């Protein structure tokens, strides 16, 4: 890990989070993307542009994948790739003014190096450095105590459970119950805090899973697609983030219709 | 409102919340009640007893309904009745160490007078005094901006949505989506913070809804059973807590199978 790059990310995320927090005090410019629940605001675009400008200034050779499409068109994962979600949970940002996050994943030749998730309204910055550790506001997080799926909570989307996408109701039946915060960032935070044994989503885009993939990898969690393979940071996929004790069982439940 | 009583509740809740927070640093004694997801700990019982001892000392004529059954057997609602949930979201308390609350409702002749919800891990004390206002840590909460159900989020239990209890999937289809925190206390907080337009639960016991009923009443929200009538604080019922602009529409969706 390049610790100067790490340091810069922390500084930039603090700045971006502060700007987002202040923006909630005024009227946001909200546009619909594909549906009334798929929103984008001027703050999504401005936050992404802020990171892109910083990266271009200090790391002009790095590639950037951003949710709002202001980065590069990336078709190979060689070298250093940044994957940025400027506001994960824009619907929560607009409607709830809570439970949204900034996410950044750093990849080297397609493999995770470090991940960062900022829970803006709680002023909590989680990050993981692969091969080192996972931290909350620079404090190492406690080791995990998940033992079995039937003694644990799970995290996922209400609509996906309800529609039994990928047989997700099986997770409800086996576990102690599900929680749903409406943001991959906040759900991955729930997972790494040990609130639940797994987080599954039926269709995550690279910016939705990149940071969580790197943080979970740093923590010893398993992160795979539905067929058990490593996620590809260029592809939308169903992704299972799970404690190693429950990953295989969950994968089998999700694969068997 | 008796403001000396109000003051005492604030003081007692702070004490109880501090004790609960410290208890998470040691091993809890967890017992199952009716199922593996229906838990009780020594802290549920001790917290309820703490409030009962205080109430008996200062208000010996008041009646007390408590989740853990250490209060009175109450069969009429005459006079002052306290309804206490010492830990709402015990499963979250045990497994997630987050997203649980202490709830107290004060009723006079069956009608709500004041309600209190303590979000312990966020150190946030919400309360409403009927006819006065709703407060977060003594700051009045902002007026509500919910307009329509199709522009809003909703709150409820994942399993209930998934099993379409009371036609709850209709709420998913009409709204922008659902969030689920696994605790009535935390979901009612979401509602009064304006994160969502409504919270519906298919079966709430008096201690699950009493505090929220009083707080929502203070705020101008509507709180009814599925047939539109006022909740009875002696009975388990399906309860809809909703912004007045969406209450009728939601009630119709929930009633029509």
């Amino acid at each position: 890990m390049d610790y100067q790059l790490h340091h810069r990310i922390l500084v930039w995320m603090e700045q971006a989070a502060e700007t987002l927090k202040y923006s909630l005090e005024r009227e946001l410019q909200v546009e619909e993307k594909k549906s009334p629940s798929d929103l984008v605001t001027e703050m999504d675009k401005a936050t992404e542009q802020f990171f892109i400008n910083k990266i271009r200034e200090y790391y002009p050779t790095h590639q950037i994948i951003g949710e709002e499409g202001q980065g590069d068109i990336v078709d190979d994962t060689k070298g250093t790739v940044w994957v940025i979600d400027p506001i994960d949970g824009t619907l929560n940002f607009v409607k709830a003014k809570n439970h949204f996050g900034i996410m950044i994943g750093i990849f080297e030749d397609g493999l995770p190096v470090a991940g960062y998730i900022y829970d803006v309204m709680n002023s909590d910055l989680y990050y993981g450095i692969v091969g080192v550790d996972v931290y909350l506001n620079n404090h190492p997080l406690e080791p995990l105590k998940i033992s079995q799926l039937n003694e644990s909570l799970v995290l996922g989307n209400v609509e996906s459970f309800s529609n039994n996408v990928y047989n997700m109701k099986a997770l409800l039946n086996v576990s102690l119950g599900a929680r749903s915060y409406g943001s991959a960032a906040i759900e991955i935070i729930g997972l790494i805090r040990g609130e639940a044994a797994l987080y599954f989503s039926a269709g995550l885009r690279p910016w939705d899973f990149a940071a969580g993939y790197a943080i979970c990898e740093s923590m010893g969690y398993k992160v795979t697609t539905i067929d058990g393979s490593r996620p590809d940071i260029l592809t939308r996929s169903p992704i299972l983030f799970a404690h190693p004790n429950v990953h295989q069982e969950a994968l089998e439940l999700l694969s068997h219709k």
Side-chain angles (χ1 to χ4, degrees), chain A residues 167-178:
Chain A
N167 200 31
M168 280 175 72
K169 278 193 184 176
L171 294 179
L172 282 187
N173 296 337
V174 171
S175 73
L176 292 177

Side-chain angles (χ1 to χ4, degrees), chain A residues 10-94:
Chain A
L10 298 190
V11 171
W12 298 343
M13 286 188 100
E14 291 290 354
Q15 274 184 270
E18 193 147 330
T19 308
L20 283 184
K21 221 180 279 180
Y22 280 117
S23 77
L24 286 173
E25 291 172 14
R26 54 176 171 74
E27 193 82 15
L28 293 165
Q29 295 159 37
V30 183
E31 292 167 50
E32 283 183 20
K33 288 162 96 174
K34 283 179 222 141
S35 76
S37 61
D38 187 12
L39 304 179
V40 64
T41 71
E42 81 279 18
M43 294 311 298
D44 297 75
K45 295 172 190 168
T47 305
E48 179 163 309
Q49 197 59 53
F50 165 79
F51 285 112
I52 289 172
N53 292 348
K54 294 290 191 188
I55 299 162
R56 296 247 189 274
E57 182 180 349
Y58 291 94
Y59 304 103
T61 63
H62 291 183
Q63 298 192 87
I64 308 169
I65 299 173
E67 175 171 21
E68 308 312 332
Q70 299 162 173
D72 301 305
I73 295 169
V74 177
D75 48 23
D76 75 89
T77 57
K78 284 217 189 81
T80 304
V81 176
W82 294 62
V83 189
I84 298 175
D85 193 340
I87 304 178
D88 182 77
T90 302
L91 183 57
N92 282 351
F93 173 67
V94 172

Side-chain angles (χ1 to χ4, degrees), chain A residues 45-240:
Chain A
K45 295 172 190 168
T47 305
E48 179 163 309
Q49 197 59 53
F50 165 79
F51 285 112
I52 289 172
N53 292 348
K54 294 290 191 188
I55 299 162
R56 296 247 189 274
E57 182 180 349
Y58 291 94
Y59 304 103
T61 63
H62 291 183
Q63 298 192 87
I64 308 169
I65 299 173
E67 175 171 21
E68 308 312 332
Q70 299 162 173
D72 301 305
I73 295 169
V74 177
D75 48 23
D76 75 89
T77 57
K78 284 217 189 81
T80 304
V81 176
W82 294 62
V83 189
I84 298 175
D85 193 340
I87 304 178
D88 182 77
T90 302
L91 183 57
N92 282 351
F93 173 67
V94 172
K95 296 290 174 180
K97 299 186 192 301
N98 203 358
H99 305 307
F100 59 90
I102 306 170
M103 298 202 284
I104 294 179
I106 304 290
F107 291 77
E108 200 66 54
D109 296 332
L111 291 176
V113 171
Y116 303 80
I117 302 182
Y118 206 121
D119 174 349
V120 174
M121 298 314 284
N122 280 320
S123 303
D124 279 337
L125 177 46
Y126 296 83
Y127 62 88
I129 302 172
V130 176
V132 183
D133 214 337
V134 171
Y135 302 84
L136 162 56
N137 300 328
N138 302 327
H139 299 278
L141 283 180
E142 290 286 308
L144 311 162
K145 284 172 195 151
I146 302 296
S147 49
Q148 298 183 60
L149 201 47
N150 66 5
E151 294 174 356
S152 305
L153 294 166
V154 299
L155 291 158
N157 178 275
V158 177
E159 286 81 351
S160 299
F161 281 116
S162 186
N163 296 328
N164 200 26
V165 180
Y166 287 105
N167 200 31
M168 280 175 72
K169 278 193 184 176
L171 294 179
L172 282 187
N173 296 337
V174 171
S175 73
L176 292 177
R179 305 290 180 257
S180 187
Y181 306 138
S183 152
I186 304 302
E187 282 155 358
I188 290 163
I189 285 173
L191 180 65
I192 64 180
R193 288 175 62 104
E195 295 179 11
L198 65 84
Y199 164 53
F200 177 71
S201 178
L204 291 180
R205 290 145 321 161
W207 41 85
D208 295 320
F209 70 76
Y213 175 19
I215 294 178
C216 287
E217 182 100 355
S218 314
M219 201 160 190
Y221 274 102
K222 294 198 80 167
V223 182
T224 68
T225 64
I226 197 84
D227 63 5
S229 60
R230 269 190 180 276
D232 169 4
I233 59 161
L234 302 183
T235 313
R236 184 178 195 272
S237 310
I239 309 271
L240 173 65

